[in-house]
Amino acid sequence: MHKLIHMLARGLALIGGIVLVALIAITAISILGRAGATVAYNEFVESNLGFLAEALIASGIGPVNGDFELVEIGIAFAIFCFLPWCQLTGGHATVDLFTSALPARVNRFLIFFWEVVLSLAIILIAWRLGVGMSDKMRYGETTFLLQLPVWYGFAASFAASIAASLIAVYVAAMRGAEFWTGRDLLADSRGAGA
């Protein structure tokens, strides 16, 4: 079971990374296009280097149409893709200023408790994403520039949030087992700073 959960979390993180790299490329291309258009329509360039301005304008240089819409959808999806890996590896930021002096059993209980709370929060978010997706589907709302159905972004994030919910429940159960047995069952149960 752990191997399957690990593969799912890692696969989602890789997909999230690919999406993030694509979004970076889209943003960079859009910025370069916007800068090129600024140069092309610059009064000095038009009057003194008309051939350059005409060439740039003829090339269709400009920002990527709907770049912010794509980034908005993609970032939400990427976050939900990274969440399971962070959950599984104990990568969430923790502050143990006061708890480091507590006995190991108390710390295990606190880790277990907060994993349960986080699992419930992720499940709540997944549920509300599902409700939001069905609302967007029913109303047929689209993005402003690209006219993409808004529910596409909700659906992608919802699918990743379902996986995040499953992994969060698994991690909470494992942290509970760690508390009861006193043994480390997951690779890292001490958080991102360990």
Side-chain angles (χ1 to χ4, degrees):
M1 176 72 161
H2 182 72
K3 191 172 189 175
L4 179 67
I5 293 290
H6 188 271
M7 285 175 29
L8 177 62
R10 185 180 176 133
L12 279 170
L14 290 172
I15 291 169
I18 291 167
V19 168
L20 204 53
V21 168
L23 293 175
I24 290 167
I26 288 169
T27 302
I29 291 167
S30 189
I31 290 168
L32 291 173
R34 192 171 282 117
T38 301
V39 169
Y41 289 104
N42 182 286
E43 186 177 319
F44 174 79
V45 174
E46 284 181 335
S47 61
N48 296 318
L49 302 168
F51 66 93
L52 176 62
E54 289 176 21
L56 288 172
I57 293 169
S59 72
I61 197 162
V64 174
N65 188 31
D67 58 346
F68 63 91
E69 294 172 352
L70 295 172
V71 168
E72 183 178 302
I73 292 168
I75 288 293
F77 174 69
I79 288 169
F80 283 106
C81 284
F82 295 139
L83 189 58
W85 183 255
C86 188
Q87 187 78 9
L88 186 62
T89 60
H92 296 293
T94 59
V95 178
D96 61 356
L97 185 63
F98 300 109
T99 59
S100 61
L102 296 174
R105 184 145 175 85
V106 173
N107 276 319
R108 285 186 192 279
F109 174 76
L110 289 173
I111 290 169
F112 166 60
F113 173 77
W114 288 114
E115 289 290 352
V116 170
V117 170
L118 186 55
S119 298
L120 292 173
I122 293 171
I123 291 168
L124 176 66
I125 291 169
W127 168 53
R128 295 312 301 167
L129 273 171
V131 170
M133 179 184 69
S134 65
D135 285 348
K136 300 301 180 188
M137 289 174 76
R138 186 173 40 252
Y139 298 126
E141 187 177 338
T142 61
T143 61
F144 183 69
L145 294 174
L146 297 178
Q147 295 297 302
L148 291 171
V150 172
W151 72 266
Y152 287 2
F154 274 79
S157 294
F158 178 65
S161 74
I162 292 297
S165 297
L166 293 172
I167 291 170
V169 168
Y170 172 79
V171 170
M174 295 301 287
R175 299 296 188 214
E178 287 180 344
F179 168 67
W180 292 112
T181 64
R183 297 181 308 137
D184 287 338
L185 300 174
L186 293 178
D188 184 18
S189 61
R190 294 172 292 165

